[in-house]
Amino acid sequence: MRHRTEYTYSSEVENSLGLAHLAPRALPWQRVGEHELTIDPVPGDRRLDADVYGNHLTYFHVTDPHERLVVEARTEVEVVDTAYDVDALARPWESARPLHGAIGADVWTATEFAIPSPKVAMLPEVRDYATVSFTPGRPIGEAVTDLMHRIKADFDYDSKATTVTSTVADVFAKRAGVCQDFAHLALSCVRSHGLAGRYVSGYLSTTPPPGKTRVLGADASHAWLAVWVPGSDAWLAIDPTNDQWAGERYVTVAWGRDYGDVTPVKGIIYTEAKKSTLKVAVDVIPETEFSPA
């Protein structure tokens, strides 16, 4: 798996401070092998740490003047389908609300994900939309899956409909967006009903059309969400963009309240440049299709 981010500037950048969430998490269903993160120019200061949610976070400070910055991660990951507790998924969704008496050893970790966050507002119209799925007593697994189906059916995937600054209200009004938007919308839906949901950032291995070879750089970062299920060892991970539970083709990098917590690469630069460009290329290649260069 490779993630390459390249910035170019119209004039020299004096120095650059950056934060990167590019190293996948080690999880019961995900084994992380060799991981390498390269930064060009080489930073004068670089540190690996963990953020408040346990994600791997790399801080770097490039002090050499530059007009181009490249951050590239290469990782080997093995993923299997997540095993869910069938009995836990069958419990009424009302019993899974952390702020309304839900019981579970990890209820305290779920609480923060049941309230609004900077990019996930709780709106009356969104709550009303979600109510169709969250009928009284409905099993949580069934209710959350139904919400996923409805978002896929009711909202169009359109990369031109929104930007990184679009809000849940914008997405709901336009009935269109991208994976980040649909994850935020679904989080607003579940949180509006008292459930806990976290934003998940990672990658999805895509399959080339029949008879076609994989095009390098054609994949992209992906986003989905996971809903807390009391009495289960795993949060129920759903992908409303593709109308499916996240499975063995999904690589989890980081999770948080919303996109702002887990941006792949972000930072601050000191420059007088008037223009800049950003190019991102992602390749998720199954081992059966991989051949060393």
Side-chain angles (χ1 to χ4, degrees):
M1 184 179 72
R2 180 186 73 121
H3 184 130
R4 176 186 172 90
T5 302
E6 179 179 348
Y7 300 90
T8 56
Y9 309 99
S10 59
S11 62
E12 198 171 77
V13 171
E14 295 179 11
N15 61 66
S16 175
L17 297 165
L19 294 174
H21 285 102
L22 292 173
R25 299 180 66 118
L27 300 164
W29 62 91
Q30 179 170 285
R31 185 188 67 81
V32 181
E34 184 177 345
H35 171 76
E36 180 184 19
L37 179 64
T38 58
I39 303 170
D40 182 25
V42 176
D45 185 15
R46 170 174 168 168
R47 292 195 297 273
L48 178 63
D49 204 347
D51 66 14
V52 68
Y53 301 112
N55 303 309
H56 299 295
L57 178 65
T58 299
Y59 159 84
F60 60 90
H61 184 190
V62 178
T63 54
D64 291 337
H66 56 280
E67 295 182 4
R68 174 176 169 270
L69 174 67
V70 177
V71 181
E72 182 171 317
R74 291 176 177 264
T75 314
E76 294 178 357
V77 185
E78 180 182 349
V79 184
V80 298
D81 279 332
T82 307
Y84 293 107
D85 185 325
V86 176
D87 292 335
L89 293 178
R91 295 180 183 130
W93 67 267
E94 294 93 338
S95 67
R97 296 178 294 174
L99 299 176
H100 299 273
I103 299 174
D106 59 345
V107 65
W108 65 275
T109 64
T111 301
E112 183 177 7
F113 298 104
I115 59 178
S117 60
K119 294 184 180 294
V120 179
M122 293 186 185
L123 307 174
E125 59 268 32
V126 173
R127 175 182 169 80
D128 291 343
Y129 175 81
T131 297
V132 175
S133 297
F134 294 101
T135 52
R138 193 174 194 181
I140 184 171
E142 182 181 308
V144 170
T145 302
D146 181 68
L147 174 67
M148 176 185 71
H149 293 331
R150 292 176 54 229
I151 291 177
K152 172 63 175 179
D154 296 341
F155 292 77
D156 296 325
Y157 187 94
D158 184 351
S159 60
K160 297 181 180 180
T162 57
T163 68
V164 292
T165 61
S166 295
T167 65
V168 170
D170 296 332
V171 176
F172 192 77
K174 293 183 177 182
R175 288 294 200 275
V178 294
C179 60
Q180 172 184 313
D181 301 313
F182 300 151
H184 284 156
L185 172 65
L187 287 171
S188 180
C189 288
V190 299
R191 292 178 188 174
S192 293
H193 284 268
L195 299 174
R198 59 193 183 197
Y199 181 100
V200 185
S201 175
Y203 308 105
L204 172 60
S205 175
T206 58
T207 303
K212 300 291 184 179
T213 57
R214 183 176 299 275
V215 178
L216 295 181
D219 294 328
S221 297
H222 195 49
W224 58 99
L225 67 146
V227 180
W228 181 63
V229 180
S232 174
D233 292 331
W235 293 46
L236 177 57
I238 62 169
D239 178 6
T241 302
N242 292 291
D243 194 19
Q244 61 189 12
W245 289 8
E248 63 180 3
R249 294 193 299 122
Y250 289 74
V251 176
T252 299
V253 173
W255 59 57
R257 298 167 301 168
D258 54 43
Y259 174 78
D261 288 336
V262 294
T263 309
V265 182
K266 64 180 179 180
I268 300 173
I269 61 173
Y270 295 87
T271 182
E272 294 184 359
K274 302 299 182 182
K275 296 181 180 180
S276 64
T277 60
L278 167 63
K279 295 181 181 179
V280 178
V282 174
D283 303 310
V284 184
I285 305 174
E287 185 178 15
T288 53
E289 298 180 24
F290 178 74
S291 59

